[in-house]
Amino acid sequence: MKIAASDYDGTLFRRGRVSREDLEAIAAWRQRGHLFALATGRDLNLTRVEVEERGIPVDYLVCSTGAAVFEPDYRPVHLFSLPPGAAELIIDHPATQDSRYFVFSRAGQTYIDLHSSESWLTGLKLPLTPVDTRQARSLTGLQQISLEFPDAETAARGATALNRDLGPTMYAQLSGFCVDVVPAGATKAEGLSLLIELKKLAVDDVLTIGDSENDLSMLRRFHGYAISGAPEEVLAAARSVADSPAAMLWENLET
């Protein structure tokens, strides 16, 4: 048995869709007795919408940049949590004042404090519970706090400033023009490591594919593929390059 893990946005979800070829390859991979996981910066609610609407067959979900791991029926396998007071700290930090939203994620619940109509979330029908800033300050038991900046450069500056000030219990993970604040040590690689231990697999039995900064941990630790066209840092970290998750899966089914 092997497990293949794919990032979602920009990897499995490309050009506004999940391709039929990718879905067929995932089905064939699982029919051979292997496991398939999504490893995404999205939280459970936002991932669940995509899985159910697009008919993605999965065995596990590694959500919130590895801070939350779930069974296919959405029962938690493991949850890492941010410390109490994290929401207030992030809301008040000078580096977050340009963020178009604060999204607060915990298992099964997603809260949004929306600041700009230019956010990519504006107008989408998603299971997000609106909160104002006062309410958001008191939220606890969170796995992730997500931010969206006007551009990638501003996001990179924000992540750097946050990591300078957050201390040892939290980490700001850059992903394009977004930043996800997660518990220290929570990465996609750590989330997958929990599944390896659960299923008694070896590191060599894991395949991963991604396209962004938050995929680097799993690409470096496991047999990592970068999606074609990924940033140079991601390409450099990967052992191989593939045009799609389907290409990676078929290559490894045939060898």
Side-chain angles (χ1 to χ4, degrees):
M1 182 192 295
K2 296 182 179 182
I3 183 168
S6 175
D7 171 52
Y8 189 66
D9 293 289
T11 303
L12 185 61
F13 183 67
R14 306 184 309 281
R15 295 180 287 277
R17 68 189 186 101
V18 176
S19 73
R20 177 176 56 82
E21 291 77 13
D22 282 333
L23 292 175
E24 290 176 349
I26 294 168
W29 176 261
R30 296 174 77 240
Q31 285 168 4
R32 299 282 184 91
H34 303 308
L35 303 173
F36 181 77
L38 282 182
T40 175
R42 297 191 185 214
D43 71 4
L44 176 62
N45 274 345
L46 299 187
T47 303
R48 181 174 183 170
V49 167
E50 297 295 305
V51 167
E52 294 180 355
E53 288 188 358
R54 302 183 190 278
I56 304 169
V58 295
D59 296 289
Y60 291 98
L61 299 168
V62 179
C63 299
S64 297
T65 321
V69 182
F70 298 94
E71 300 272 4
D73 61 1
Y74 312 122
R75 287 179 298 141
V77 173
H78 190 84
L79 301 173
F80 297 89
S81 293
L82 291 165
E88 185 170 15
L89 190 156
I90 299 304
I91 289 168
D92 290 339
H93 195 283
T96 69
Q97 303 313 300
D98 289 331
S99 180
R100 291 172 170 170
Y101 59 61
F102 295 108
V103 169
F104 306 91
S105 301
R106 59 189 177 198
Q109 297 174 297
T110 310
Y111 303 91
I112 183 168
D113 182 6
L114 184 64
H115 296 165
S116 172
S117 61
E118 296 182 12
S119 168
W120 74 275
L121 291 175
T122 302
L124 297 179
K125 294 181 179 179
L126 296 171
L128 303 172
T129 302
V131 293
D132 60 32
T133 303
R134 179 187 57 80
Q135 294 170 316
R137 289 175 183 278
S138 63
L139 292 173
T140 59
L142 302 171
Q143 278 72 59
Q144 180 170 272
I145 301 172
S146 300
L147 313 166
E148 178 196 339
F149 292 89
D151 53 65
E153 183 177 347
T154 306
R157 288 198 303 268
T160 298
L162 285 168
N163 284 325
R164 182 186 62 225
D165 299 335
L166 286 179
T169 60
M170 293 183 279
Y171 178 71
Q173 173 67 64
L174 181 66
S175 181
F177 56 87
C178 294
V179 173
D180 297 316
V181 178
V182 295
T187 64
K188 292 185 179 183
E190 287 303 313
L192 289 171
S193 293
L194 291 168
L195 297 181
I196 290 172
E197 183 178 350
L198 179 69
K199 305 305 291 188
K200 296 181 171 57
L201 300 175
V203 170
D204 289 342
D205 294 328
V206 185
L207 301 171
T208 59
I209 186 167
D211 77 313
S212 190
E213 295 92 339
N214 66 2
D215 299 314
L216 289 171
S217 66
M218 70 176 184
L219 299 188
R220 288 170 174 156
R221 187 177 302 185
F222 305 113
H223 186 49
Y225 285 67
I227 203 79
S228 301
E232 193 60 39
E233 183 183 12
V234 179
L235 293 171
R239 299 182 190 180
S240 305
V241 178
D243 290 334
S244 65
M248 178 189 75
L249 295 174
W250 286 121
E251 177 182 323
N252 286 276
L253 279 173
E254 294 166 359
T255 58

